[in-house]
Each structure stands twice: as C-alpha cells, then as structure tokens.
Amino acid sequence: MNLEQWVLCPFCKSKTRLKIRDDTILKNFPLFCPKCKHETLIDVEQLNICESKEPDAKTQSR
C-alpha cells in the first residue's frame, strides 16, 4: 500500500497542485504555489519535503 499526501507550500502552508507518494524522489524540483504565487526549489524523499539550498551564483572574474 502506497501512502500519498499533498505537497504544501513552504511559505503560506496551503495545498499545491502536486501530490506525492512514499516512493517519490525529487531533487531541485521547482514548486509553484497557485495561492501565493511563490516558486521555490524543493527536495522530496520518502514523504519528507525540504527546501533545496542552492549556492548563490558568483560573479565571473576575468
């Protein structure tokens, strides 16, 4: 039996249009919230959802 749950927006905590199962694995997935119009990168593994920490872009030196 697979467990399912809705992905909640990390900012406003409302449901998004995405549903995940316990065997879902996502890396750097762009999650968009239709309510607050926020987009954030998330990682998902075994129903654990966390925000993806991406290093800031550095300026290119010549």
Side-chain angles (χ1 to χ4, degrees):
M1 182 176 140
N2 286 334
L3 299 175
E4 293 182 342
Q5 77 178 35
W6 289 100
V7 176
L8 300 179
C9 173
F11 294 100
C12 68
K13 307 297 185 216
S14 65
K15 279 199 293 188
T16 60
R17 296 181 179 127
L18 187 66
K19 202 175 209 183
I20 58 171
R21 299 185 335 176
D22 58 349
D23 60 348
T24 302
I25 298 175
L26 298 171
K27 296 286 184 194
N28 294 327
F29 183 79
L31 177 69
F32 177 75
C33 176
K35 183 177 179 183
C36 70
K37 309 288 191 252
H38 229 113
E39 184 173 315
T40 184
L41 293 177
I42 61 167
D43 293 336
V44 175
E45 192 168 343
Q46 295 178 350
L47 296 177
N48 293 327
I49 302 168
C50 62
E51 284 186 65
S52 179
K53 302 297 180 194
E54 228 181 56
D56 291 336
K58 296 185 179 180
T59 58
Q60 189 177 24
S61 61
R62 295 183 183 219

